[in-house]
Amino acid sequence: MDTKAFPTPALSALEKFPVVFNDQISYAGPLGAAWAPGRVNIIGEHTDYNDGFVLPAAVDRVAAFAGRMRADQTVRLWSQYFEEAAQFSLAGLPETFDAQRADLPGWARYILGVVSELTRDGIPLHGFDAVVGGDVPLGSGMSSSASLEVATAQTCSFFSNGTFSIGNTDATLTPMQVAAVCQRAEHVASGLRSGILDQAASCLGRPGKAVLLDCRSYEYRYIPFDTPGISLMVIDTNVRRELASSGYNERRQQCEEATKLLHDMITPDDPDAAAQVKALRDISPTQFAHYKDRLPEILRKRAGYIIAENERVFQAVAALEKGDIEAVGPILWRGHAGLRDEYQVSCLELDILVDIAHSVDGVLGARMLGGGFGGCTINLVRNEAIEPLRLAVERYYPERSGRQAIIDICRAAGGPGQAVV
Ligand code: ADP
Ligand code: MG
């Protein structure tokens, strides 16, 4: 086996496969693995479901499946993380989704969700047996759920006679179509009305690149994010809050309300301009400055954050395209302040980590990452500041929060992949 072809979690899942699936059934294909990355989002948080702009990068952490195609319609799974088995059938999907979902553990629901949404799109699929592993931290904001979904799609591609393939020129589904299938899967599996950011970032990953994605048109463009001398540190608060999913859906609703009110305010002044207002993405900062005082305070804050955050995405892109990554730092600090004060999705522990980062020389910028209410921060750090930041977090975070943080260093990495043994 060419071990270099596989990321480490895929190798570990491959090793486990014969141990778990040892009932000697006759398989319809060879042993192989498929995987897909988690992501960081450099800037553009909560803008995706406002039809706005995001700037994520896939990272060198993946969800991985190792398995073999079956001759029937059964899918048997073993999760290395949860040390738990799950099983479902392709028969009757998507109609049998709800009934089958009810009997599955949470992690397997994402997999069923993707399989079910692929069948809805008429993609013919085979059953398979697979060990599911990975090294994207769960629930920390690096989008382990999207990595799991996209790795599922990649696995199905692998096991479906090449009917579609991610990132392949013969693809019957483009990477963004796969992302959209996986986004739908997230909705039906978890009830979170998430935007397209996480799944798109995973599908589109490229080493040394970030992706500027327009979440309305799905147009995207790669932006250099190869940063010699500068590292991306991801620091996990170790806080997971139930609030996350209800808080997220509530923010989404508030953005819709703000859009509607702004639309109605603009209509008498300029009906043509108002007709263009479908989402907060369509409100310019100048328009917002003109009308914002007529919005209820809470909606003024929410909309103000989103409109400024879209601008920050373009500021960061301009800086990166000039090769001036140092200029991205202040954009991250400002992004965090907006998430904390206006969008109000931060929490004490995230604020403490950002505050500590701010006190260390050579940290260019930091902000909370992902939906909020817990999870991790991303920190853009000069290499000589890695150790000082680590020491500062180890010293002050437990003192101020009563918890231990988990520190990781990531790099911008490639998208989904697959290989046979
Ligand atoms: P995030 O996507 O930010 O990591 P989510 O709450 O959206 O957090 O998704 C986390 C859930 O995704 C986990 O609780 C688990 O059910 C599932 N999951 C993600 N990756 C894996 C994996 N490699 N193996 C099993 N389950 C996974
Ligand atoms: Mg997720």
Side-chain angles (χ1 to χ4, degrees), residues 72-89:
D72 62 12
Q73 292 200 296
T74 300
V75 174
R76 291 191 303 179
L77 302 163
W78 172 263
S79 163
Q80 287 185 292
Y81 188 91
F82 294 99
E83 299 199 322
E84 184 179 32
Q87 177 169 338
F88 59 83
S89 169

Side-chain angles (χ1 to χ4, degrees), residues 166-418:
I166 301 171
N168 179 319
T169 44
D170 322 317
T172 56
L173 292 182
T174 64
M176 282 309 292
Q177 285 171 326
V178 174
V181 165
C182 292
Q183 180 195 18
R184 272 165 26 214
E186 173 105 20
H187 293 191
V188 295
S190 76
L192 189 74
R193 292 177 65 208
S194 57
I196 193 74
L197 162 66
D198 300 351
Q199 293 81 8
S202 180
C203 286
L204 296 172
R206 256 195 209 173
K209 304 283 182 201
V211 192
L212 170 63
L213 173 68
D214 177 335
C215 297
R216 169 173 283 163
S217 69
Y218 286 5
E219 283 170 344
Y220 58 89
R221 158 160 87 82
Y222 288 97
I223 306 295
F225 195 66
D226 201 7
T227 55
I230 287 168
S231 294
L232 203 55
M233 285 175 82
V234 177
I235 310 180
D236 191 341
T237 57
N238 230 328
V239 176
R240 307 284 182 268
R241 291 215 169 87
E242 287 301 315
L243 193 61
S245 125
S246 59
Y248 187 100
N249 289 344
E250 182 193 61
R251 291 303 177 285
R252 213 178 149 140
Q253 204 185 336
Q254 289 169 335
C255 290
E256 284 163 13
E257 267 172 60
T259 306
K260 185 173 178 309
L261 290 178
L262 285 160
H263 170 275
D264 293 350
M265 285 179 215
I266 298 170
T267 302
D269 299 341
D270 189 345
D272 292 340
Q276 305 302 315
V277 174
K278 306 263 189 291
L280 287 178
R281 178 259 182 72
D282 302 309
I283 309 280
S284 71
T286 322
Q287 272 175 321
F288 185 66
H290 188 74
Y291 293 101
K292 70 180 169 73
D293 292 338
R294 289 159 58 189
L295 282 174
E297 188 191 353
I298 209 103
L299 299 186
R300 181 162 68 236
K301 283 182 165 176
R302 304 297 187 252
Y305 163 77
I306 295 292
I307 290 162
E309 183 76 350
N310 275 322
E311 294 300 305
R312 283 189 282 270
V313 173
F314 292 115
Q315 291 161 5
V317 165
L320 288 171
E321 289 193 319
K322 270 195 302 191
D324 184 9
I325 190 164
E326 304 249 339
V328 177
I331 300 172
L332 299 194
W333 300 126
R334 290 201 296 275
H336 185 78
L339 287 159
R340 182 191 60 209
D341 303 332
E342 294 184 282
Y343 217 59
Q344 295 178 300
V345 291
S346 187
C347 64
L348 180 66
E349 294 84 353
L350 286 165
D351 294 344
I352 291 171
L353 281 181
V354 170
D355 198 42
I356 293 171
H358 205 250
S359 71
V360 176
D361 277 349
V363 177
L364 303 175
R367 66 177 194 86
M368 55 152 278
L369 178 66
F373 306 107
C376 56
T377 62
I378 49 162
N379 302 258
L380 213 50
V381 179
R382 283 201 199 104
N383 288 349
E384 59 274 21
I386 292 176
E387 268 321 292
L389 178 57
R390 189 192 298 279
L391 290 173
V393 168
E394 280 168 5
R395 169 139 186 226
Y396 298 113
Y397 183 68
E399 196 176 289
R400 292 177 61 181
S401 73
R403 296 169 187 268
Q404 300 288 334
I406 305 161
I407 301 172
D408 202 358
I409 296 179
C410 299
R411 46 180 58 241
Q418 62 183 48

